[in-house]
């Protein structure tokens, strides 16, 4: 085999490897060369994070596969394609109250987008979901207090609803006509979802009795499972590096003043340093005890929750760049408005 043929063969082999796995391998390679002690630490962190989230992801993948095989995704798509204001409000409320994390909801969101659910209610759900869930609400109450916790819950609903209506207006104006990444639009017809034999007027609960539906279930579970595995592996690997090298607690300590720039600074700090909603509770609670401005703490938690690595990658993996930028802009503007509103409320009620 000549050098040119060998090069071409290797190029074809590497071309079949997903770019996300290549990035993961390069990151581990860089750690092995530049920071050898950190490589096993990051590997353990990533593996443990995947193990901890595995049960929730398994349920999410199963739900997405069931929705695909039974025709539930098309029924939901039809329901959300009706009254836009009602769909957006319901999506924002469900996002603020649902127990799904930003990663676990990815396969469900992917199925809904692929089934033709409008982007506006999906955006409302997507922005509200990472900000609050029942477990987080319960954990925040004793640490942050009732006012702060309720403010964050209302912020989740409000940001989701406003984002949904803003997206609806943008779509009416002709924006985001091609929102999904190519891998989600392959095989889609006018309504998406593959074979028209899977589209029914009612949900087929016993889908396993039909070979085509069994095949659809297995294919959806495999595709979605691998899709999530690669992106979550990268997200948790990057998170391990943030834990090791970004001094979030020391940076945020300087946000205790009442200057005009405190809230914007808290947002700028929260974007790169935020890890997850549960880890942020004791961190921000402790900083508030040390004098951090409550509105700045709220800004840190909201902006960080929306732009955290897992939440951002969940959006980036599914939609095109313009929609991703719109998601980030809505989240950052929403966190800014919410924090200033909370500061005004505290000033009036003092």
């Amino acid at each position: 085999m000549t050098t040119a043929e060998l090069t071409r063969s290797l190029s074809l082999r590497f071309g079949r490897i997903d770019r996300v796995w290549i990035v993961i391998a390069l990151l581990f390679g860089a750690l092995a060369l530049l920071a050898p002690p950190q490589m096993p630490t990051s590997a353990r962190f990533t593996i443990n994070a995947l193990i901890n989230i595995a049960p929730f992801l398994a349920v999410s993948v199963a739900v997405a596969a069931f929705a695909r095989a039974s025709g539930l995704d098309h029924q939901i798509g039809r329901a959300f394609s009706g009254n836009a204001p009602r769909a957006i409000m319901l999506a924002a409320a469900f996002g603020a109250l649902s127990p799904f994390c930003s990663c676990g909801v990815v396969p469900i969101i992917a199925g809904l987008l692929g089934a033709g659910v409008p982007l506006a209610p999906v955006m409302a759900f997507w922005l509200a979901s990472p900000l609050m869930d029942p477990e987080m609400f319960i954990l925040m109450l004793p640490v942050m207090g009732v006012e702060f916790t309720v403010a964050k819950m209302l912020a989740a609903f409000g940001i989701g609803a406003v984002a949904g209506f803003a997206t609806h207006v943008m779509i009416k104006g002709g924006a985001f006509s091609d929102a999904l990444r190519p891998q989600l639009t392959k095989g889609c017809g006018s309504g998406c979802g593959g074979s028209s034999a899977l589209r029914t007027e009612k949900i087929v609960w016993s889908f396993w009795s039909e070979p085509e539906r069994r095949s659809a279930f297995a294919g959806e579970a495999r595709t979605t499972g691998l899709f999530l595995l690669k992106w979550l592996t990268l997200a948790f690997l990057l998170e391990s590096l943030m834990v090791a090298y970004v001094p979030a607690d020391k940076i945020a300590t300087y946000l205790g003043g009442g200057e005009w720039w405190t809230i914007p600074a808290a947002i700028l700090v929260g974007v790169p340093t935020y890890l997850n909603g549960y880890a942020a509770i004791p961190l921000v609670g402790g900083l508030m005890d040390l004098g951090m401005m409550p509105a700045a703490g709220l800004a840190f938690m909201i902006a960080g929750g929306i732009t955290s690595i897992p939440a951002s990658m969940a959006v980036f993996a599914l939609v095109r760049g313009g929609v991703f930028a719109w998601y980030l802009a809505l989240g950052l503007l929403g966190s800014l408005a919410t924090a200033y509103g909370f500061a005004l409320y505290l000033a009036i009620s003092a």
Side-chain angles (χ1 to χ4, degrees):
M1 181 179 291
T2 65
T3 304
E5 291 174 337
L6 179 60
T7 302
R8 191 180 305 110
S9 175
L10 291 174
S11 177
L12 290 173
R13 287 176 182 270
F14 281 109
R16 297 191 187 101
I17 302 176
D18 191 284
R19 285 177 294 178
V20 178
W21 291 119
I22 294 175
V23 171
I24 292 169
L26 290 174
L27 284 174
F28 274 116
L31 286 176
L33 291 174
L34 303 176
Q38 180 60 34
M39 189 181 74
T41 302
S42 290
R44 284 193 298 271
F45 181 99
T46 303
I47 293 171
N48 289 335
L50 289 172
I51 291 173
N52 290 334
I53 203 173
F56 303 100
L57 291 181
V59 172
S60 297
V61 171
V63 169
F66 170 78
R68 171 76 176 87
S70 66
L72 175 61
D73 55 353
H74 294 289
Q75 301 303 318
I76 295 174
R78 291 173 58 189
F80 277 163
S81 296
N83 187 293
R86 183 184 63 185
I88 291 169
M89 296 297 285
L90 287 175
F94 184 65
L97 299 175
S98 69
F100 296 107
C101 67
S102 57
C103 302
V105 80
V106 171
I108 298 174
I109 291 292
L112 294 178
L113 286 172
V117 175
L119 182 62
V122 170
M123 187 66 74
F125 176 76
W126 227 338
L127 278 159
S129 183
L131 297 181
M132 184 60 71
D133 58 51
E135 294 87 352
M136 191 182 298
F137 185 89
I138 294 171
L139 290 173
M140 285 182 63
L141 279 175
V143 178
M144 322 297 286
V146 175
E147 282 185 329
F148 190 101
T149 304
V150 172
K152 190 165 186 280
M153 182 184 69
L154 294 176
F157 172 77
I159 291 174
V162 171
F165 283 111
T167 303
H168 181 67
V169 171
M170 291 287 287
I171 292 173
K172 286 287 188 181
F176 310 135
S177 59
D178 189 17
L180 301 183
R181 288 194 177 274
Q183 65 265 32
L184 289 180
T185 57
K186 289 178 180 178
C188 292
S190 59
C192 204
S195 173
S196 60
L198 300 182
R199 303 175 197 166
T200 59
E201 293 300 318
K202 61 181 181 179
I203 300 172
V204 181
W205 298 102
S206 55
F207 65 87
W208 53 86
S209 61
E210 301 179 25
E212 187 173 6
R213 293 184 182 278
R214 287 200 305 270
S215 177
F217 181 90
E220 182 70 20
R222 180 175 59 256
T223 301
T224 303
L226 291 174
F227 174 83
L228 280 174
L229 179 62
K230 67 181 182 182
W231 282 103
L232 287 178
T233 300
L234 178 58
F236 289 134
L237 173 57
L238 292 175
E239 186 175 341
S240 74
L241 299 179
M242 290 177 61
V243 171
Y245 298 116
V246 179
D249 54 342
K250 294 181 181 179
I251 295 175
T253 301
Y254 296 101
L255 300 177
E259 292 82 0
W260 67 268
W261 47 262
T262 302
I263 290 176
I267 292 174
L268 292 177
V269 170
V271 169
T273 61
Y274 189 93
L275 301 179
N276 64 68
Y278 299 104
I281 293 173
L283 171 63
V284 176
L287 292 172
M288 286 171 59
D289 290 339
L290 294 173
M292 184 180 188
M293 183 180 175
L298 184 64
F300 177 89
M301 295 188 78
I302 293 175
I306 293 172
T307 61
S308 66
I309 287 176
S312 296
M313 282 195 169
V315 181
F316 181 79
L318 297 179
V319 297
R320 295 183 182 272
V323 180
F324 178 67
W326 178 243
Y327 167 89
L328 293 180
L330 289 171
L332 294 176
L333 291 174
S335 61
L336 192 67
T338 299
Y340 278 119
F342 187 52
L344 180 61
Y345 163 78
L346 292 177
I348 293 175
S349 60

